[in-house]
């Protein structure tokens, strides 16, 4: 069995374990020491050649941990999920706790200097003074800087991805203009409906309506960035019915959908269609054994899991996903741009079966969906 799985590339250990954060905050604290002392050489001597080193280390380690906790735990869990009140509370607690944890660094510095805190830092200096005057403002500034860098980096990535999306959209639209109405599919479908008019006028009329809806979706609704999930599945329904109508060989089609609580979910056009079209295109043409296609869709909250499998001839080489000339790499690139870090794609090419497994995190739409995915698929 040949298997293609798309996962995130492995990070270098230096970045995986956030070592670059420690180096950055070491430099950040050193800059403040230089500003306070006025000489970079004397600042380095004060940090590394005197008993003030523990104080420096406390600032670096505690503030690094606090910033990382905010960037990689609080922001994804609360701020990005619009839980603003909880985020502000936990952020304030993080800043206060980090500021308090730095205070012992002053006392450890005084202990290693064989002096009292009053002798080393001044008679009016105590833990409350250190907290209010030094550690709290410094930690607040570090957290603000960390968030600013994070948000700026995210904004740059979003802008870059948006430009790539626009470029990809232009390229995709050009290919859709060329391949959108596949002549082979178009003529076969019209021909099938033509012969069906005399045999079964009611079915011909129904097929013609599906064909019209199919073309309307391709020409107009495909221009939207997101469409409702039920519309995309309705489009799949029409496509599947038309494919069944024009297939010369008998294909056993099995569709399963778990009943679940549906939401107002949106999806990029043609994401699912790509793999369904591929299944019909490459399904086996056996005369002595079943030819089959299986579609299994599971929706849980915003998590969409779809498995599409089709029979294939044992002598058929690895199948490549195509939609109107758009290959697998283009599909993957489109998923990378539209759903960065929000999908997994697993393609398995076995001797007599070809399977595509897609896990996708969907986003909500403002308008209400009239048809649930489970209902639409069940009606097929």
């Amino acid at each position: 069995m040949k298997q293609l799985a798309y996962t995130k590339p492995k990070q270098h250990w230096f970045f995986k374990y956030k070592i670059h954060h420690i180096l950055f905050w070491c430099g950040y604290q050193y800059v403040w020491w230089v500003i306070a002392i006025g000489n970079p050489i004397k600042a380095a001597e004060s940090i590394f050649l005197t008993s003030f080193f523990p104080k420096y280390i406390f600032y670096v380690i505690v503030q690094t941990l606090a910033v990382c906790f905010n960037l990689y735990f609080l922001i994804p869990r609360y701020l990005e999920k619009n839980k603003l009140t909880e985020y502000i509370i936990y952020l304030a607690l993080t800043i206060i706790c980090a500021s308090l944890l730095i205070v012992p660094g002053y006392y450890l510095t005084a202990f290693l200097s064989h002096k009292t805190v009053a002798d080393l830092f001044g008679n009016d200096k105590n833990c409350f003074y250190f907290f209010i005057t030094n550690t709290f403002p410094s930690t607040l500034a570090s957290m603000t800087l960390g968030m600013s860098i994070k948000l700026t980096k995210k904004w740059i990535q979003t802008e870059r991805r948006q430009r790539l999306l626009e470029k990809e959209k232009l390229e995709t639209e050009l290919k859709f203009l060329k391949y959108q109405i596949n002549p082979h599919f178009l003529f076969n479908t019209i021909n099938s409906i033509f012969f069906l008019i005399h045999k079964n006028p009611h079915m011909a009329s129904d097929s013609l309506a599906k064909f019209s809806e199919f073309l309307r979706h391709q020409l107009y609704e495909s221009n939207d960035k997101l469409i409702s999930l039920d519309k995309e599945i309705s489009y799949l329904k029409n496509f599947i019915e038309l494919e069944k109508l024009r297939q010369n060989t008998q294909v056993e089609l099995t569709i399963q959908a778990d009943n679940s609580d549906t939401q107002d979910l949106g999806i990029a056009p043609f994401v699912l269609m790509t793999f369904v079209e591929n299944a019909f295109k490459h399904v086996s043409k056996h005369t002595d054994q079943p030819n089959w296609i299986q579609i299994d869709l599971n929706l849980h909250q915003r998590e969409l899991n779809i498995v599409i499998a089709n029979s294939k001839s044992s002598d058929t080489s690895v199948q490549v996903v195509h939609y109107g000339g758009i290959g697998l790499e283009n599909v993957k690139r489109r998923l990378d741009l539209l759903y960065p870090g929000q999908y997994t794609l697993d393609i398995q090419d076995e001797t007599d079966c070809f399977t595509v497994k897609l896990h996708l995190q969907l986003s909500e739409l403002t308008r209400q969906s009239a048809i649930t995915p489970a209902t639409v698929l069940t009606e097929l």
Side-chain angles (χ1 to χ4, degrees), residues 301-314:
Q301 296 180 351
R302 297 186 184 183
E303 305 291 327
L304 177 66
N305 292 282
I306 183 166
V307 179
I308 303 173
N310 63 273
S311 60
K312 53 170 285 192
S313 302
S314 57

Side-chain angles (χ1 to χ4, degrees), residues 177 180-181 214-223 270:
L177 288 175
Q180 197 171 43
I181 312 301
F214 173 84
L215 296 180
R216 186 186 67 83
H217 181 90
Q218 277 201 332
L219 291 173
Y220 301 109
E221 294 182 354
S222 62
N223 294 324
F270 299 110

Side-chain angles (χ1 to χ4, degrees), residues 104-365:
Y106 288 85
Y107 288 86
L108 180 59
T109 299
F111 174 78
L112 295 177
S113 301
H114 304 289
K115 296 179 181 180
T116 64
V117 173
D119 293 336
L120 187 61
F121 297 104
N123 293 327
D124 59 338
K125 307 300 190 297
N126 53 40
C127 54
F128 180 75
Y129 175 88
F130 293 136
F131 175 80
I132 295 297
T133 307
N134 299 93
T135 63
F136 182 79
S138 177
T139 304
L140 182 61
S142 298
M143 298 290 277
T144 303
L145 177 61
M147 290 182 64
S148 300
I149 295 174
K150 177 75 172 181
L151 294 176
T152 301
K153 181 181 177 182
K154 190 171 183 179
W155 177 80
I156 293 174
Q157 291 175 342
T158 302
E159 287 294 314
R160 183 180 302 167
R161 194 175 78 233
Q162 186 64 32
R163 288 195 297 269
L164 289 174
L165 273 173
E166 291 175 357
K167 180 181 178 182
E168 178 71 15
K169 182 181 178 182
L170 289 175
E171 294 177 355
T172 303
E173 285 179 351
L174 289 175
K175 292 177 180 177
F176 276 148
L177 288 175
K178 182 178 180 181
Y179 295 106
Q180 197 171 43
I181 312 301
N182 187 299
H184 182 71
F185 174 84
L186 182 64
F187 292 140
N188 278 5
T189 302
I190 293 176
N191 191 51
S192 299
I193 295 175
F194 175 78
F195 285 105
L196 198 60
I197 290 175
H198 303 285
K199 294 177 60 178
N200 192 332
H202 178 74
M203 183 179 294
S205 176
D206 186 57
S207 299
L208 191 59
K210 289 183 173 64
F211 188 55
S212 174
E213 181 67 18
F214 173 84
L215 296 180
R216 186 186 67 83
H217 181 90
Q218 277 201 332
L219 291 173
Y220 301 109
E221 294 182 354
S222 62
N223 294 324
D224 297 333
K225 291 183 178 179
L226 286 178
I227 62 172
S228 62
L229 182 58
D230 61 280
K231 280 190 176 182
E232 180 71 3
I233 299 178
S234 296
Y235 170 67
L236 290 181
K237 172 184 176 180
N238 292 333
F239 175 80
I240 291 171
E241 290 296 329
L242 292 173
E243 280 288 352
K244 288 167 59 179
L245 178 66
R246 77 180 190 90
Q247 285 287 338
N248 294 325
T249 57
Q250 294 294 324
V251 177
E252 297 179 4
L253 181 65
T254 304
I255 300 178
Q256 295 179 347
D258 292 340
N259 293 327
S260 58
D261 295 332
T262 57
Q263 303 180 41
D264 260 343
L265 299 178
I267 189 171
F270 299 110
V271 169
L272 303 181
M273 177 63 203
T274 304
F275 305 107
V276 174
E277 194 266 357
N278 181 73
F280 276 99
K281 182 175 182 179
H282 294 288
V283 67
S284 60
K285 302 294 188 293
H286 297 304
T287 57
D288 56 343
Q289 53 183 305
N291 305 301
W292 53 266
I293 295 176
Q294 295 179 350
I295 302 175
D296 186 0
L297 183 144
N298 176 271
L299 178 64
H300 178 66
Q301 296 180 351
R302 297 186 184 183
E303 305 291 327
L304 177 66
N305 292 282
I306 183 166
V307 179
I308 303 173
N310 63 273
S311 60
K312 53 170 285 192
S313 302
S314 57
D315 58 345
T316 303
S317 59
V318 179
Q319 302 182 58
V320 179
V321 176
H322 284 283
Y323 177 62
I326 300 178
L328 177 59
E329 288 303 319
N330 300 76
V331 174
K332 178 183 175 296
R333 184 174 62 176
R334 190 162 180 253
L335 286 170
D336 286 336
L337 293 173
L338 293 171
Y339 298 98
Q342 299 176 332
Y343 84 96
T344 57
L345 176 62
D346 183 20
I347 299 178
Q348 300 175 358
D349 186 22
E350 301 178 352
T351 304
D352 57 354
C353 175
F354 188 76
T355 306
V356 174
K357 297 179 181 179
L358 177 64
H359 172 80
L360 198 60
Q361 297 181 20
L362 303 178
S363 56
E364 292 186 1
L365 289 176

